[in-house]
Amino acid sequence: GYSSTNSRHKLVSARRLAGASAAALGGLCLWSARVDPSEQPESTARSIAIVLQSLTAGLAGSLHRVDPAARPAVLARAVRDASSGLAVHLCGVSHVDPASATAVRAYAEALAAAPGGLGAVAVEDEPRALLLTRAARAALHGLPPERIRAEGEGLVRHALFGLAEVHAWAAEAGATLDGAERVPLSPTLARHLRGEGVLWGLEQAEAAEAAEELGARVACLGGTPAPPPHVPLLTRLAYWLRVRALDPGHDERSPAELHVVASNRALAEVAPSAHEAVLLRKDAHFAAALRTVCADAARAGGGPPPAVLA
């Protein structure tokens, strides 16, 4: 798969918020289409060419090792929203590194203590997903990784089974949950619980909790989830080699700018359609939604103006 961080969006959002007009953002939407079958021959030829071009350098780059202890917790960028004039602190993170969750909370607390305070915290999730992540966070809070690996799935299922909203959503889908074991978990969530004892997306739940404690608004930037574009195995191999040729020792979990830039470039070169759907369209949606958050925070009045953390 591609990078597990959301930092790729934050680098693009910084440019959009600071320089793009609202009109240029407003017409784009989140929906990502599957790759057009008519593009597949061209895509296959491109992937083969990149595999051949990057094979030696990519394999060599994969042998480089990066010390996880040196991995930064966040990729932070402070920009000024061109429409509202508010300071926006974009915080790219790793969805699977608990250190990112700790850093996001500290960032929110520092902004709240500064002149103007913290007006809002915007997270990547849509409201339903954030509700579930927060319930999972509460169920796992304070547990060591080894216990989460052993019991995490069961604890999360039990916590979600206790939510009235989950039963209502199941009923909307024509299903009945007659036990916690029937609560479905996403493959990504289950894999990280079992494999590493971490909650995928913990930093978003932590940010929302911190915002409420600090008296700031919680805003969800995500829209209705759309299916990701189909990316053939050969294309994934081409991406894997190309990103390691560009960035020896590439760390998919690091929000460091070097790794994020290499990831974005490799994806654009190898799979332009996926790059458009996974990054550009989604980022345009996030940037437009974040402009609305800024406008709402600016209308709240008072002075000095508050900051927004996203």
Side-chain angles (χ1 to χ4, degrees):
Y2 301 121
S3 173
S4 61
T5 75
N6 72 356
S7 302
R8 62 173 71 217
H9 292 290
K10 299 307 170 70
L11 288 179
V12 179
S13 292
R15 295 193 293 273
R16 290 188 187 277
L17 287 169
S21 68
L25 297 173
L28 297 177
C29 64
L30 181 60
W31 321 123
S32 56
R34 291 187 176 276
V35 175
D36 187 337
S38 65
E39 296 181 8
Q40 289 182 0
E42 178 186 354
S43 174
T44 299
R46 182 191 305 112
S47 296
I48 292 173
I50 291 175
V51 166
L52 295 175
Q53 171 194 352
S54 303
L55 183 61
T56 300
L59 291 176
S62 71
L63 299 177
H64 287 252
R65 291 292 175 262
V66 177
D67 182 6
R71 180 187 299 154
V74 297
L75 170 61
R77 288 287 183 275
V79 298
R80 194 162 297 279
D81 173 41
S83 298
S84 67
L86 294 189
V88 181
H89 296 260
L90 300 168
C91 196
V93 300
S94 170
H95 290 315
V96 294
D97 186 355
S100 284
T102 302
V104 165
R105 171 175 283 275
Y107 208 144
E109 292 172 348
L111 292 175
L118 180 62
V121 172
V123 298
E124 183 179 344
D125 266 342
E126 47 88 24
R128 284 191 179 190
L130 181 61
L131 174 67
L132 300 180
T133 305
R134 293 182 70 172
R137 172 193 176 276
L140 303 175
H141 186 65
L143 298 181
E146 57 269 19
R147 186 171 173 192
I148 295 176
R149 281 194 292 268
E151 306 174 34
E153 285 185 85
L155 292 171
V156 170
R157 289 182 199 276
H158 183 78
L160 300 187
F161 185 73
L163 295 177
E165 293 89 344
V166 170
H167 291 271
W169 297 335
E172 289 175 7
T176 301
L177 300 176
D178 51 13
E181 68 280 358
R182 298 288 302 277
V183 176
L185 299 181
S186 75
T188 298
L189 181 69
R191 182 173 70 253
H192 288 294
L193 288 173
R194 287 194 308 265
E196 301 154 79
V198 297
L199 175 62
W200 193 93
L202 172 63
E203 82 292 337
Q204 298 192 62
E206 195 70 36
E209 295 284 343
E212 291 184 353
E213 293 171 11
L214 297 167
R217 175 192 170 199
V218 178
C220 291
L221 300 181
T224 303
H230 171 68
V231 181
L233 183 59
L234 178 61
T235 304
R236 292 179 180 272
L237 173 61
Y239 169 84
W240 189 91
L241 290 168
R242 182 59 179 151
V243 75
R244 284 159 179 78
L246 293 170
D247 176 25
H250 180 72
D251 183 357
E252 292 184 344
R253 301 189 176 195
S254 173
E257 184 169 357
L258 172 68
H259 301 310
V260 176
V261 169
S263 178
N264 290 349
R265 177 180 168 184
L267 184 59
E269 291 180 6
V270 173
S273 296
H275 180 259
E276 172 74 17
V278 172
L279 176 64
L280 298 183
R281 293 183 188 176
K282 193 173 181 181
D283 178 79
H285 170 88
F286 285 158
L290 190 51
R291 283 188 181 279
T292 300
V293 173
C294 291
D296 291 343
R299 279 194 294 267
V308 172
L309 175 63

